[in-house]
């Protein structure tokens, strides 16, 4: 998970559409429709995989993400953070 190249293996992206853009962002068609850009927070490590997802031309929607090991299992949690400038409808449209 820690390598942005692997995002397409575990995220809701259409296989073969995930690719790196100039400037460091990644882009893919998501399985629930439309194109999304992905921006990773570099160098966090230790189970922290914070990133932002957004449509081209929009302000990124930040998503803190954590992977925590529990014995033989790993739990992954991530949160969609609604920006203060977003209406509820806009927020729901962005994550759906």
């Amino acid at each position: 998970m820690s390598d942005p190249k692997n995002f397409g293996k575990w995220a809701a992206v259409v296989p073969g559409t995930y690719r790196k853009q100039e400037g460091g962002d990644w882009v893919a068609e998501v399985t629930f429709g439309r194109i999304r850009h992905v921006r990773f927070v570099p160098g966090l490590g230790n189970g922290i995989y914070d990133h932002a997802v957004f449509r081209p031309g929009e302000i990124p929607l930040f998503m803190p993400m954590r992977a925590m090991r529990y014995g033989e299992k790993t739990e992954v949690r991530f949160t969609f953070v609604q920006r203060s400038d977003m209406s509820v409808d806009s927020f729901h449209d962005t994550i759906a």
Side-chain angles (χ1 to χ4, degrees):
M1 285 179 62
S2 64
D3 187 339
K5 291 183 283 191
N6 294 325
F7 184 78
K9 295 178 182 177
W10 56 266
V13 301
V14 176
T17 66
Y18 182 66
R19 62 193 182 282
K20 191 169 187 175
Q21 301 285 101
E22 275 189 43
D25 287 349
W26 295 72
V27 65
E29 181 179 342
V30 292
T31 56
F32 45 89
R34 304 184 204 153
I35 298 293
R36 297 291 193 276
H37 285 228
V38 183
R39 181 173 298 154
F40 294 91
V41 177
L44 296 174
N46 296 321
I48 301 172
Y49 310 111
D50 295 349
H51 61 289
V53 176
F54 55 101
R55 290 189 194 128
E58 290 187 352
I59 298 169
L61 184 64
F62 182 66
M63 294 183 201
M65 185 167 161
R66 305 292 184 267
M68 296 157 288
R69 192 161 179 133
Y70 294 103
E72 296 293 315
K73 299 180 180 185
T74 301
E75 179 177 288
V76 176
R77 295 180 188 183
F78 71 97
T79 305
F80 294 95
V81 179
Q82 181 178 350
R83 294 190 320 264
S84 61
D85 67 327
M86 296 180 88
S87 68
V88 170
D89 289 340
S90 176
F91 177 65
H92 287 197
D93 188 46
T94 299
I95 61 173

